[in-house]
Amino acid sequence: MDIDGKYYRSFKKRLKMLDDQHSKERAKKQHDKGKLTAFERLDLLLDEGSFEEIDAFVVPDTLGIEFGKVEKHFGDGVIAGHGKINGRLVFIYAQDFTIMGGSLGIVHANKIAKVQEMALKMGAPIIALIDSGGARIQEGIASLSGYSTIFNNIIRSSGIIPQIAVIMGPAAGGAVYSPALMDFVFMTSYTSYMFVTGPNVVKEVLNEDVSFEELGGAEVHAKKSGVAHFIYDDEENTILGLKKFFSYLPSNNVENPPKIEDTNETPDINKKLLGIVPDDPNKAYDVKEVINNVVDRGSFLEISELFAQNLITGFARLEGKTLGIIANQPKVLAGVLDINSSVKGARFIRFCDAFNIPLLTFEDVPGFLPGIDQEHSGIIKHGAKLLYAYSEATVPKITVILRKSYGGAYIVMNSKNLGGDFNFAWPTAEIAVMGPDAAVTILYRKELAESDDPKKLKAELVKKYRERIANPYVADEKGFIDEVIDPAGTRKKLITAFKVLTNKWVESPSRKHGNIPL
Amino acid sequence: MAKQQKKLYALMGRKKYGFNLPLTETIRIGKRKYKIILKEDNKYGTYVLWKNRRYPVEIVMSRQNKFDILFNYVCYSFTVETPFSLKRKQYLDREKGQPEEERILAPMPGKVIEVMVREGDELNRGEPLLILEAMKMQNEINCPVNGIVKSVNVAAEENVVKDDVMLEIRISQ
Amino acid sequence: MKIKNILIANRGEIAVRVMKTARRMGIKTTVIKTASEPAAMYLSLGDNVYDDTENVSEIPVFLDIERIIKIALDSGADSIHPGYGFLAENPYFAQKCADNKIIFIGPSPDSIYKMGNKIIARKIAMAKNIPMTVGSEGKIPTENEAIRVARRIGYPVIIKAASGGGGRGMRIVNREEDMPKMFRMASNEADKTFSDHSVFIEKYIENPKHIEFQVLGDRKGNIIHLWERECSVQRKHQKLLEEAPSLALNDDLRKEMGEVSVKIASAVGYFSAGTVEFLFDAEGAYYFMEMNTRIQVEHPVTELITGIDLIEEQIRIAEGQELRYKQKDIKLNGWAIECRINAEDVQSGFSPSPGKIEQILMPSGENIRVDTGVQAGSVIAANFDSMIAKLIIYGKDRKDALASCKQALDKVWIKGTKTTLPFFRMLIRNSRFLDGSITTSFIENELSTYHVNSEYEEMLAAWLATWLFVDENLDESNLKIDFEEAKNMSPWLLNKRIIRH
């Protein structure tokens, strides 16, 4: 071909038109609001030079316009394609707010659907960078059908390839269901928001004044609703966080996650673990200290850190291999289980189970949160979710009981008979139907009422109870615990245990799907 | 863009320190360059070696781009920003303005054991406000901002439910 | 009666301090091991260790009179040293010791009781014409009485708890309108803290200095003083730094106040070590405040300028020996400064910063003394006091002591918790402190920061933050990713995973 010939020249001319569309003025509109452009976000996230765009030149379907006008722009407000993150193939689409507010028209939706289908075919993860004003009113119901296609695709791929949504701008009305259906949601503070019904409608219908931020900002979703799993102060950190998180995931539900070499050479025996759980059962401690001293140093990445803080979920690595961690946090609400934490835990467990990520549970739970509020809001069925998720999971499951483990909560947190593969306990473990205080009050009510010094008697009885029942050795002797271990050697024990479980496979009975309480 | 990042800023309040990338283990003061090394050993723990002097150093907190560093016994809180995120911060500050008041809400139902401050007390971030007992554990609630106590709505022996407004602080600075 | 075995009813640095002297005197010591600090440093220095870790009582052992007596009897101790705090000023405890024929190394139960109740102490001092602030005759039973008395005295006044100190149960009242509320608050706090709601009222001295005199008495009625200590560096009634002697006193005043201290002590027939506290106002007038009937935290500065071991003297006095010094024998040589290094965060209003001490390296030398109960690995718990170490410096005069103190402070190396060290480094460079014009309100009212702002160090910290960020996020060479591992699994497993679909 002649480089100066008409074929090549028109090819180059068209490319230039696309370039010109992504102009400095357009970029400035985003930058002035503290946001990056779609291309800049892709550039930050993907390995240099790895991005291959598809359907860059599609234009909106003008025939389908029912009302109003639509500007003709290349791409129809979304940039889609594939690239690599740290050398791994990923499919991705990034909505472009500078083109018609990133609104979703039928062409826009079809492009997204294309990438989704490719991701499913190739067994590669898909990431959505969302920054959109919502459905394109001009195109009427066609835009809504666009959303339906997208949602359908997400559901078809659910549990087969990891799907991550990153909210970097508005996501309102129907648009929020994409992130809701995907596996993990990242949000950037202040410049993004998610809600089903916006402040204007809220004002109209309920006469309540509320700002975008208050109704559905990042903080709300990270702390109150739990919809956002990660929030960051700005877009660059959001993307850096996403990259980091991504390295823990497998590409699909058949492969294992990539192995990251433990460059810190975490020691197998760690005496620090002896000094974390206090001997006094009423003293709180931070279970994250336990986690950080067992897994590969620096590898613990917490998920939903600000939501239901009484239960910790996150990924970590043991000898470079990804693990899912669940732990009760005694520092918050004494580590009890409640509605929010049960749901948080259940969803996380099911993700790990779908994607063959082994589960490690650290247990120190005195029970479920009592109260009218919890009971009336259905702690019964929500608590059952956690129970269901643990039992349903067929990945390797190991539990380490650190301290308290009473009653129903003992059963729920991956007990032996619920399907725990290995159940270990620390010497500080207290495994019982009920805590010593409550048990003594019930069993010795008469004696305590008749005693001259009930406080002293109670203290003695509690001590006896602790010695005879609420300790790990009784459970050990009966086989409900596999072994009481030396805390300092926890890591070594777990490495060996998980190695043994590498090829674990359990047949699930054949059925369409179970009926998890919802 | 990250690959072409030329400069990073460490921000502390209104103070800004700029460092060129790639970051080297030297800092320029005036015309001369000095070596700075982060070390750790059993005798001294973690420290920074600078101009032949050891400075004790502890990383009190590190999250995303926020760092609390205890350097020579004084704690400094930094956020590390790229030129773009710096502009974004400035934009957001202009748009949102500064919050005026901080309400201290009860994080969970419980009983107030002790209230350590009174109306009019001037406080620093981190100072203890009150002790709340819940589920047999005592939790110390600390002040999240620098400010002056506007009102104290609870007293010792009182019970609170989640999200009760226990104190109001007028934010200073 | 020779003392052979002392039970130390205390922990931390004072336990270590007492044992040091006991060892030198050839006396055996017994210490108590508690569940909250089973590996504390003081335990390794006792000759016998009584294991109290099984104790489930709600009362901590060091406050449990019955239990301490039992431990003393069980372990064969013939005496008890209470240290400071805990039961040191509890007259019932002192009495119980006597009842059980255990020597209490301290004053008589009667003098502890009398001086412990501020109202009684005031009455005694008044009878001896000791200079004091104008105040109520006895306790104030009602709000109305409070208003009446305050009117007589003239505002501002201060309401104080009869049975307490340390700032609790105290309220300053500037106007009559505030009196009812303040009276109620002070009484309630007093009741809660000391189980005694009685309060009294005094004229409030604004911005005073706090100067106290060390006294020593024997059972034969001899009482001497060992000069003064300057304790005006305080925050919320907690002392931070003490000196001996004080710049505020000239020789005449010193002699006079010393004699007044001895007079008060002799009014209750005091023996053992004690401290008489005075407030010193801007005009140079002094007022008796109260007497502390125990050995105090800051006793080392007195020891350094007089060359006398106060613990040794306490033990000898407890044995019944006569004081081996007359007042003329007590010389004042040089100057001493003590810095109380605590595990507190000075940038957050001195809030406690508990944690484990990873490293602690203190300076040493001829003029440096370090009193501590903490070593590397010690845990500073939230439920005991936050003291890490006392750094005590001696110099031939104040200027010399200050210079040595500055040098010594720069050499302190403590890692593991936040400490009050930056406060002292700032104070030792503060002009008001250096010229000696500080009063007790200085720290709270006149200082805006409690550490030195070093732009230099701030920049180094900024570099470190940036370096951490780069290392964590931008340095991709850190990530050694093995993709083959992802595809590498046993056919058994691969087969099962695929068949499932």
Side-chain angles (χ1 to χ4, degrees):
Chain A
M1 197 180 308
D2 189 351
I3 288 192
D4 288 317
K6 64 170 180 181
Y7 292 112
Y8 198 70
R9 266 193 289 125
S10 47
F11 168 66
K12 290 303 250 185
K13 184 169 166 212
R14 198 159 170 267
L15 284 178
K16 187 166 182 303
M17 283 195 324
L18 186 62
D19 245 350
D20 288 343
Q21 185 176 278
H22 298 292
S23 63
K24 281 220 162 62
E25 291 80 45
R26 229 181 253 288
K28 190 168 181 316
K29 278 200 216 143
Q30 281 284 77
H31 293 172
D32 282 348
K33 287 190 240 150
K35 292 160 77 174
L36 293 169
T37 66
F39 254 128
E40 285 165 346
R41 291 164 183 163
L42 289 171
D43 201 30
L44 260 179
L45 178 60
L46 304 170
D47 294 348
E48 195 159 349
S50 69
F51 182 57
E52 300 283 332
E53 192 175 352
I54 60 153
D55 284 359
F57 287 97
V58 291
V59 289
D61 178 10
T62 39
L63 285 177
I65 292 174
E66 293 183 357
F67 195 78
K69 264 201 317 194
V70 159
E71 303 157 41
K72 235 184 174 168
H73 284 117
F74 292 127
D76 204 23
V78 64
I79 302 173
H82 58 85
K84 293 210 175 129
I85 296 182
N86 282 327
R88 196 153 48 133
L89 174 66
V90 64
F91 286 87
I92 187 162
Y93 63 89
Q95 290 170 317
D96 189 342
F97 196 78
T98 60
I99 298 193
M100 287 184 286
S103 59
L104 191 119
I106 191 68
V107 169
H108 177 133
N110 285 341
K111 203 201 282 197
I112 294 179
K114 210 180 205 177
V115 192
Q116 287 177 310
E117 281 158 29
M118 274 204 269
L120 183 57
K121 273 192 236 171
M122 309 323 158
I126 181 162
I127 297 180
L129 302 183
I130 297 181
D131 188 2
S132 159
R136 199 173 295 160
I137 308 174
Q138 295 92 320
E139 296 194 25
I141 309 262
S143 357
L144 294 181
S145 81
Y147 273 122
S148 315
T149 316
I150 294 173
F151 298 155
N152 235 6
N153 283 338
I154 297 176
I155 293 159
R156 277 182 62 221
S157 305
S158 179
I160 302 181
I161 49 172
Q163 306 183 82
I164 304 178
V166 187
I167 319 291
M168 296 181 120
V176 302
Y177 292 112
S178 285
L181 292 165
M182 289 171 128
D183 298 313
F184 291 101
V185 176
F186 284 67
M187 261 184 108
T188 306
S189 294
Y190 310 123
T191 46
S192 66
Y193 47 84
M194 274 198 281
F195 37 68
V196 177
T197 327
N200 329 9
V201 184
V202 169
K203 174 81 186 178
E204 257 182 68
V205 175
L206 298 171
N207 203 25
E208 258 174 44
D209 263 314
V210 66
S211 69
F212 286 94
E213 182 68 20
E214 282 169 340
L215 188 59
E219 204 177 313
V220 166
H221 287 301
K223 286 194 188 159
K224 295 230 170 104
S225 69
V227 173
H229 299 90
F230 298 93
I231 64 167
Y232 295 88
D233 273 347
D234 58 64
E235 298 196 3
E236 281 142 311
N237 279 304
T238 311
I239 291 174
L240 285 173
L242 172 58
K243 262 180 142 166
K244 205 168 166 209
F245 176 71
F246 198 67
S247 64
Y248 288 85
L249 307 178
S251 292
N252 52 58
N253 69 342
V254 175
E255 287 180 18
N256 284 330
K259 182 170 168 199
I260 309 283
E261 200 178 303
D262 177 16
T263 48
N264 287 319
E265 282 164 22
T266 319
D268 277 357
I269 306 288
N270 189 344
K271 293 247 156 127
K272 277 203 187 141
L273 287 163
L274 289 164
I276 301 176
V277 178
D279 278 354
D280 179 356
N282 289 331
K283 265 208 189 138
Y285 62 93
D286 189 350
V287 72
K288 286 192 241 191
E289 277 184 48
V290 175
I291 300 174
N292 282 319
N293 278 302
V294 169
V295 302
D296 291 355
R297 196 142 79 125
S299 72
F300 178 59
L301 182 77
E302 194 174 351
I303 298 171
S304 295
E305 190 181 338
L306 303 172
F307 178 70
Q309 293 175 308
N310 44 328
L311 186 77
I312 310 278
T313 52
F315 289 126
R317 294 194 175 99
L318 214 53
E319 287 198 324
K321 307 206 199 109
T322 303
L323 275 185
I325 309 271
I326 298 145
N328 307 105
Q329 174 62 289
K331 238 172 51 160
V332 180
L333 283 176
V336 293
L337 286 172
D338 61 0
I339 293 176
N340 284 344
S341 52
S342 301
V343 172
K344 173 180 169 183
R347 185 115 201 274
F348 177 69
I349 292 169
R350 295 188 93 228
F351 174 83
C352 291
D353 184 41
F355 288 97
N356 304 305
I357 297 175
L359 290 167
L360 174 57
T361 305
F362 288 104
E363 191 175 340
D364 182 356
V365 60
F368 282 89
L369 182 64
I372 300 178
D373 182 47
Q374 288 288 306
E375 298 295 341
H376 285 195
S377 303
I379 180 70
I380 292 175
K381 56 178 182 179
H382 296 295
K385 286 176 186 164
L386 187 58
L387 188 61
Y388 190 108
Y390 262 125
S391 178
E392 174 193 51
T394 55
V395 287
K397 298 181 282 189
I398 299 185
T399 305
V400 181
I401 302 183
L402 303 175
R403 201 168 59 172
K404 303 194 187 90
S405 180
Y406 302 147
Y410 156 72
I411 302 174
V412 166
M413 296 295 289
N414 196 28
S415 54
K416 188 98 206 137
N417 294 70
L418 202 63
D421 293 304
F422 284 106
N423 290 52
F424 299 118
W426 280 14
T428 36
E430 276 183 20
I431 305 164
V433 173
M434 217 179 264
D437 264 3
V440 158
T441 315
I442 293 181
L443 294 172
Y444 291 96
R445 177 168 297 136
K446 190 153 165 275
E447 287 84 340
L448 285 171
E450 290 169 3
S451 153
D452 302 320
D453 189 354
K455 262 196 185 154
K456 190 160 168 226
L457 179 61
K458 187 166 182 200
E460 279 170 19
L461 288 170
V462 163
K463 187 164 162 222
K464 242 197 257 177
Y465 184 90
R466 285 219 152 89
E467 280 165 16
R468 273 214 242 129
I469 300 179
N471 65 66
Y473 306 107
V474 176
D476 189 18
E477 283 160 23
K478 298 221 167 104
F480 296 118
I481 298 290
D482 293 308
E483 194 183 337
V484 180
I485 60 173
D486 181 348
T490 305
R491 178 184 161 85
K492 187 153 187 255
K493 258 286 177 286
L494 292 173
I495 289 176
T496 313
F498 276 113
K499 269 213 184 88
V500 166
L501 294 170
T502 318
N503 289 340
K504 172 183 176 186
W505 186 261
V506 175
E507 283 303 334
S508 312
S510 165
R511 56 186 161 180
K512 191 164 185 203
H513 57 75
N515 188 14
I516 181 170
L518 288 176
Chain B
M1 221 206 229
K3 296 101 187 171
Q4 297 132 23
Q5 215 70 271
K6 298 265 182 52
K7 205 167 176 163
L8 284 176
Y9 295 98
L11 246 68
M12 188 173 97
R14 299 202 185 284
K15 286 218 196 119
K16 191 171 77 180
Y17 292 91
F19 296 98
N20 290 326
L21 291 181
L23 201 65
T24 54
E25 284 180 342
T26 54
I27 301 183
R28 180 188 291 277
I29 312 263
K31 291 213 178 115
R32 298 195 52 192
K33 275 195 190 181
Y34 299 94
K35 266 194 95 150
I36 172 168
I37 312 172
L38 180 65
K39 285 183 93 142
E40 184 174 349
D41 59 38
N42 281 330
K43 180 166 183 207
Y44 294 104
T46 28
Y47 60 93
V48 154
L49 199 54
W50 166 262
K51 281 192 183 178
N52 276 327
R53 207 187 131 176
R54 273 187 218 96
Y55 293 84
V57 148
E58 255 170 70
I59 299 155
V60 175
M61 189 273 302
S62 97
R63 273 195 64 188
Q64 298 175 18
N65 64 332
K66 301 186 222 342
F67 301 91
D68 279 354
I69 297 186
L70 192 65
F71 193 97
N72 207 13
Y73 306 106
V74 178
C75 193
Y76 303 95
S77 294
F78 292 104
T79 56
V80 179
E81 311 283 351
T82 62
F84 183 78
S85 61
L86 189 62
K87 274 213 288 239
R88 177 192 150 101
K89 253 203 164 73
Q90 290 161 347
Y91 160 75
L92 286 174
D93 274 343
R94 279 197 312 271
E95 282 297 300
K96 288 161 29 69
Q98 299 291 38
E100 300 228 319
E101 266 175 30
E102 179 79 24
R103 281 152 64 210
I104 311 293
L105 307 178
M108 56 189 152
K111 184 162 92 167
V112 177
I113 300 294
E114 192 188 331
V115 182
M116 278 101 110
V117 298
R118 308 176 217 168
E119 248 176 66
D121 276 355
E122 207 177 306
L123 302 172
N124 285 322
R125 190 161 75 102
E127 271 190 64
L129 296 170
L130 58 99
I131 300 192
L132 189 66
E133 186 189 81
M135 322 286 308
K136 286 192 139 242
M137 305 263 209
Q138 296 209 342
N139 300 272
E140 194 179 78
I141 313 286
N142 295 323
C143 190
V145 294
N146 294 338
I148 301 180
V149 181
K150 180 168 168 240
S151 66
V152 178
N153 304 332
V154 295
E157 300 301 306
E158 269 179 36
N159 284 316
V160 291
V161 299
K162 189 164 181 316
D163 290 340
D164 268 352
V165 181
M166 303 189 293
L167 284 120
E168 281 168 271
I169 316 261
R170 200 177 309 122
I171 304 180
S172 42
Q173 161 247 298
Chain C
M1 220 229 89
K2 202 109 186 73
I3 286 179
K4 299 213 183 69
N5 184 346
I6 305 178
L7 171 65
I8 315 272
N10 212 305
R11 32 90 48 204
E13 72 88 17
I14 192 63
V16 173
R17 169 71 191 88
V18 173
M19 284 192 273
K20 209 182 257 175
T21 292
R23 178 152 298 189
R24 199 167 43 77
M25 292 171 77
I27 301 176
K28 291 227 177 306
T29 52
T30 302
V31 286
I32 305 175
K33 179 167 157 177
T34 61
S36 17
E37 36 173 22
M41 181 172 146
Y42 72 92
L43 293 168
S44 53
L45 297 166
D47 296 296
N48 308 314
V49 178
Y50 183 91
D51 189 334
D52 196 53
T53 53
E54 298 285 304
N55 186 357
V56 292
S57 164
E58 273 173 25
I59 310 171
V61 64
F62 297 116
L63 284 175
D64 191 337
I65 297 180
E66 299 287 335
R67 201 163 177 89
I68 300 250
I69 301 286
K70 180 173 181 303
I71 294 174
L73 293 171
D74 282 352
S75 57
D78 51 26
S79 53
I80 294 181
H81 196 300
Y84 50 68
F86 291 128
L87 296 168
E89 285 177 289
N90 186 315
Y92 305 106
F93 179 55
Q95 186 59 54
K96 261 287 189 313
C97 289
D99 293 344
N100 283 281
K101 306 224 188 314
I102 300 172
I103 300 178
F104 178 76
I105 303 179
S108 65
D110 182 60
S111 49
I112 296 179
Y113 173 71
K114 290 198 173 125
M115 288 293 137
N117 185 311
K118 310 286 181 270
I119 294 176
I120 298 179
R122 273 182 69 90
K123 285 210 178 95
I124 294 175
M126 210 147 21
K128 293 276 175 181
N129 290 320
I130 306 288
M132 279 190 310
T133 53
V134 182
S136 59
E137 290 294 318
K139 68 171 180 232
I140 310 279
T142 62
E143 277 170 32
N144 289 331
E145 180 68 14
I147 292 176
R148 204 178 60 76
V149 168
R151 265 197 208 142
R152 172 169 64 83
I153 298 174
Y155 288 93
V157 299
I158 180 167
I159 310 174
K160 283 188 180 174
S163 299
R168 312 307 290 276
M170 263 189 216
R171 287 294 186 281
I172 299 167
V173 191
N174 288 307
R175 317 168 300 172
E176 194 168 287
E177 301 91 87
D178 300 332
M179 179 57 88
K181 181 163 131 196
M182 292 302 187
F183 178 81
R184 259 178 281 130
M185 282 170 84
S187 308
N188 284 339
E189 202 172 271
D191 192 31
K192 244 219 217 106
T193 322
F194 312 112
S195 302
D196 173 10
H197 67 264
S198 344
V199 295
F200 64 103
I201 294 182
E202 284 178 347
K203 176 110 184 113
Y204 177 62
I205 311 280
E206 313 228 31
N207 303 334
K209 279 181 162 293
H210 171 129
I211 298 179
E212 58 189 36
F213 273 73
Q214 177 72 51
V215 296
L216 213 51
D218 63 25
R219 294 183 114 112
K220 310 239 160 69
N222 300 307
I223 304 182
I224 57 173
H225 70 80
L226 285 86
W227 311 116
E228 78 274 17
R229 288 188 288 262
E230 163 69 83
C231 304
S232 302
V233 178
Q234 296 181 7
R235 186 184 171 275
K236 299 217 164 121
H237 303 279
Q238 301 297 315
K239 295 172 187 163
L240 297 170
L241 180 150
E242 305 93 359
E243 302 179 50
S246 168
L247 266 184
L249 305 184
N250 55 33
D251 286 336
D252 289 334
L253 205 44
R254 180 170 289 129
K255 189 158 170 291
E256 187 183 318
M257 288 172 80
E259 281 163 10
V260 166
S261 309
V262 169
K263 203 164 160 194
I264 295 171
S266 57
V268 289
Y270 197 80
F271 57 83
S272 191
T275 298
V276 179
E277 287 187 4
F278 297 94
L279 286 188
F280 200 80
D281 73 16
E283 279 82 52
Y286 63 89
Y287 308 89
F288 165 67
M289 273 294 110
E290 58 188 56
M291 180 173 179
N292 296 323
T293 56
R294 63 174 192 271
I295 189 79
Q296 298 210 213
V297 175
E298 59 269 28
H299 72 271
V301 291
T302 297
E303 292 186 327
L304 289 189
I305 59 163
T306 56
I308 294 176
D309 181 332
L310 289 168
I311 306 287
E312 181 174 357
E313 297 310 314
Q314 275 190 308
I315 296 174
R316 298 173 111 259
I317 291 164
E319 285 177 339
Q321 293 187 43
E322 197 169 322
L323 269 183
R324 30 184 192 162
Y325 309 99
K326 298 260 180 285
Q327 188 65 60
K328 62 176 170 57
D329 299 324
I330 308 296
K331 301 277 179 260
L332 206 177
N333 281 322
W335 208 280
I337 301 177
E338 174 185 275
C339 299
R340 297 196 195 186
I341 303 176
N342 294 329
E344 289 167 1
D345 184 355
V346 303
Q347 287 166 272
S348 283
F350 287 76
S351 56
S353 169
K356 184 160 95 158
I357 303 290
E358 302 285 343
Q359 285 90 15
I360 174 166
L361 302 164
M362 299 295 286
S364 59
E366 222 181 278
N367 294 328
I368 300 177
R369 171 175 155 175
V370 174
D371 279 19
T372 179
V374 156
Q375 58 197 357
S378 296
V379 174
I380 309 283
N383 57 328
F384 285 132
D385 74 286
S386 57
M387 175 162 300
I388 298 177
K390 298 181 325 204
L391 178 65
I392 309 132
I393 309 291
Y394 179 77
K396 58 176 167 53
D397 52 37
R398 189 166 192 259
K399 186 151 164 263
D400 190 35
L402 288 169
S404 300
C405 190
K406 189 198 251 179
Q407 271 191 0
L409 285 169
D410 280 345
K411 292 208 185 96
V412 173
W413 186 279
I414 303 176
K415 295 196 89 240
T417 70
K418 296 198 178 153
T419 69
T420 50
L421 194 57
F423 171 75
F424 294 113
R425 289 183 175 181
M426 177 225 50
L427 195 65
I428 205 80
R429 292 162 170 85
N430 177 291
S431 56
R432 286 282 306 275
F433 175 71
L434 292 175
D435 70 28
S437 60
I438 287 191
T439 64
T440 50
S441 61
F442 175 69
I443 299 202
E444 279 160 82
N445 295 347
E446 295 176 62
L447 283 180
S448 48
T449 52
Y450 297 138
H451 64 274
V452 179
N453 275 317
S454 165
E455 290 271 331
Y456 208 66
E457 292 178 8
E458 198 176 276
M459 177 205 56
L460 293 175
W463 177 89
L464 189 57
T466 314
W467 187 86
L468 288 169
F469 179 77
V470 170
D471 186 50
E472 186 62 22
N473 294 298
L474 300 184
D475 194 351
E476 251 124 61
S477 61
N478 273 344
L479 230 48
K480 285 194 163 97
I481 307 184
D482 180 354
F483 288 115
E484 289 320 303
E485 173 66 24
K487 318 222 192 300
N488 195 10
M489 70 187 90
S490 88
W492 161 262
L493 195 58
L494 184 59
N495 190 31
K496 298 287 186 178
R497 285 187 187 173
I498 295 174
I499 283 184
R500 201 167 202 240
H501 307 289

